[in-house]
Amino acid sequence: MSTSFEDDQNNLRYAEYVLGVLDADARAAVAHEIATSDEAAAAVALWQRRLMPLTELLPEVAPSAGVWPRIRQALGWDVRRESRSVGFWGTARPWQWISLGATAVAVFCLVMLLRAPVGGIPGAGHIALMVSSIRQDNGVTDWTATMDLDRKQIVVVPASFPAVPIGRSTQLWLIPAGKAPISVGVFAAANTTVLPLSKELLAQLGPTAALAVSYEPPGGSPTGQPTGMVIAKGAISGAAT
Amino acid sequence: MSVTSPVSQAAELDPLLLRAAMGDRAAFADLYRRTAPRLLGVCVRMLADRREAEEVLQEAYVAVWQRAKTFDPARASAMTWLIALARNKAIDRLRQHRSVAGDFATELESIPDEDSIPAVRVERGEEYRRLEQCMEQLQPKQRGCIREAFFSGLTYNALAERAQVPLGTLKSWIRRGLLQLRACLET
């Protein structure tokens, strides 16, 4: 164990960070170190292990019922097809039934849609939804997209928190089987985004098409075709649940 | 919520957080259910305001989901990681919009130590007992400052003002106390 004065001074900063006595600027400096230096992260984790047991003497406080729904909302989880993961909420059961009903209706509409000639859009009064999980190669779902054919719009919801490089936009593409990608639009990676679906896009939606997301210059690809790395892809399959 | 011993609790929480890191929402919901009361207890103690504490709790769990991938069970237990994250959020909140001095008339000597806090949590883990043993070996002033700093989230400046001692004196109490704690815990 090294206990030189300098090591102690450096290690003390991490202790002070964990204890919570540093001012905002000094805290930010240590937080930056943690993010960039494994050694700093390890030293801070060690101090956390040493000091966090102090909290064991505090009484627990049950959160109000509204906190969890707000967390879900902040994470962008509260869209129709996510009702399955509600889990322990008392509302799970009715939701599951509603969800099951919605699935049946959506599958029916999808079947009707697929039987119609390509480009056929159901008339008013029909519900027609398609969904896609836009995933990285490692299987992590970055976004879910729900296509509402009646409203002619696509809703893109972040499922994880993909780190988009600074100065890059995320652009959504529709790739019909064997054809060139068509831009759906630039969207905010970390927020729910609603984009309009043009006639051209609607005509190409279906189980043989796919969605893809690429990094592009701010504002989107200057060429009309993807110019940056494709970070995630998703098949358009089935209907919303 | 069932009462679980710290050991079995740790054994159950680590896998939940690791599953949340892989995008498992059900595991995250379970993790919230099991750990939120503990984290809210910490936030309420630090912010002394239930509503604000719940806001910070919300921020904390959003960050838990976002940063779960950085959790390393070899470095700390899930509970330690979660509490540290919640405390960081609470401290950030304190730094954002509270004038540090003047809000508190309390002097250091009048701050209750743990004996005057009702022992709602009956079970205390081995780590807590070890830490308490080492805290006992500190001078009362060092012990009081460290405990106060930990639970108030106040800066050195604010603590010095509150304790009515020069800044340098307070810093050296705390720093020496921290180094002694480290030495004691490493033996």
Side-chain angles (χ1 to χ4, degrees):
Chain A
M1 178 187 17
S2 160
T3 51
S4 77
F5 179 75
E6 205 168 292
D7 279 357
D8 279 351
Q9 289 306 302
N10 210 22
N11 199 260
L12 266 174
R13 287 177 55 246
Y14 303 134
E16 290 168 333
Y17 172 82
V18 173
L19 189 60
V21 291
L22 299 179
D23 64 27
D25 289 345
R27 277 186 71 72
V30 175
H32 178 73
E33 266 188 75
I34 295 169
T36 52
S37 152
D38 204 46
E39 211 175 320
V44 165
L46 199 50
W47 275 107
Q48 287 170 346
R49 265 172 66 181
R50 290 178 183 131
L51 296 178
M52 288 311 132
L54 280 174
T55 62
E56 285 194 30
L57 58 89
L58 293 176
E60 293 186 349
V61 180
S64 343
V67 177
W68 175 248
R70 286 201 296 275
I71 291 168
R72 292 180 51 85
Q73 200 175 13
L75 290 173
W77 289 5
D78 279 327
V79 284
R80 275 164 290 187
R81 66 187 301 271
E82 303 307 344
S83 54
R84 278 172 302 163
S85 61
V86 167
F88 63 90
W89 287 103
T91 54
R93 205 164 276 268
W95 264 108
Q96 280 163 356
W97 285 108
I98 292 166
S99 156
L100 198 64
T103 307
V105 169
V107 166
F108 173 75
C109 291
L110 190 69
V111 168
M112 295 306 284
L113 177 84
L114 296 176
R115 285 173 58 189
V118 174
I121 300 159
H126 291 261
I127 303 167
L129 299 170
M130 295 188 195
V131 293
S132 175
S133 293
I134 306 172
R135 295 190 171 97
Q136 297 175 36
D137 285 343
N138 63 12
V140 173
T141 300
D142 281 339
W143 299 275
T144 58
T146 309
M147 288 141 273
D148 185 327
L149 306 191
D150 275 351
R151 292 185 182 156
K152 301 183 176 115
Q153 65 186 25
I154 181 168
V155 183
V156 184
V157 180
S160 61
F161 285 80
V164 177
I166 293 164
R168 299 263 106 182
S169 289
T170 39
Q171 189 161 0
L172 181 65
W173 305 88
L174 175 69
I175 310 175
K179 293 187 190 167
I182 311 166
S183 175
V184 181
V186 173
F187 68 100
N191 295 313
T192 299
T193 310
V194 181
L195 295 166
L197 287 172
S198 67
K199 245 185 171 173
E200 185 198 9
L201 287 166
L202 284 167
Q204 301 291 347
L205 287 183
T208 58
L211 293 175
V213 172
S214 68
Y215 289 149
E216 298 295 338
S221 161
T223 66
Q225 284 295 303
T227 61
M229 197 173 88
V230 170
I231 51 168
K233 282 181 285 195
I236 299 175
S237 59
T241 57
Chain B
M1 183 165 298
S2 63
V3 178
T4 49
S5 76
V7 173
S8 70
Q9 190 188 41
E12 288 165 17
L13 294 179
D14 284 10
L16 282 181
L17 183 50
L18 289 168
R19 277 165 57 199
M22 292 188 292
D24 183 335
R25 294 180 182 187
F28 180 67
D30 202 10
L31 187 73
Y32 174 84
R33 188 176 58 78
R34 287 164 185 247
T35 58
R38 180 89 192 273
L39 266 60
L40 185 56
V42 174
C43 293
V44 167
R45 174 67 178 85
M46 295 186 77
L47 296 159
D49 179 301
R50 170 72 189 245
R51 194 184 53 79
E52 206 175 12
E54 290 202 336
E55 283 172 21
V56 168
L57 185 74
Q58 180 189 329
E59 281 174 27
Y61 277 94
V62 169
V64 167
W65 176 258
Q66 292 168 344
R67 296 188 208 156
K69 282 177 190 163
T70 67
F71 167 63
D72 179 353
R75 280 185 177 163
S77 71
M79 191 47 112
T80 295
W81 190 85
L82 290 166
I83 290 173
L85 193 154
R87 279 188 79 250
N88 277 338
K89 288 284 173 195
I91 294 165
D92 288 346
R93 177 67 71 108
L94 288 167
R95 296 291 182 275
Q96 270 168 25
H97 62 89
R98 290 219 177 155
S99 62
V100 280
D103 287 4
F104 305 93
T106 338
E107 284 181 27
L108 192 65
E109 281 70 25
S110 68
I111 290 156
D113 64 14
E114 90 275 23
D115 292 336
S116 60
I117 295 172
V120 172
R121 290 181 57 82
V122 192
E123 298 209 51
R124 289 176 184 174
E126 178 59 30
E127 285 181 330
Y128 175 80
R129 281 194 292 274
R130 280 199 64 201
L131 179 59
E132 270 308 301
Q133 281 167 10
C134 289
M135 291 283 280
E136 285 303 312
Q137 292 175 23
L138 302 181
Q139 288 172 19
K141 274 178 184 172
Q142 290 178 322
R143 185 164 62 232
C145 285
I146 287 176
R147 191 167 268 141
E148 176 55 13
F150 185 85
F151 288 115
S152 71
L154 293 175
T155 60
Y156 273 137
N157 278 314
L159 287 165
E161 202 161 316
R162 195 165 171 176
Q164 298 182 335
V165 296
L167 180 62
T169 307
L170 184 106
K171 277 190 181 177
S172 78
W173 284 350
I174 288 186
R175 285 177 174 166
R176 266 191 246 146
L178 287 168
L179 290 177
Q180 272 177 250
L181 268 187
R182 183 181 69 175
C184 173
L185 287 167
E186 276 171 0
T187 51

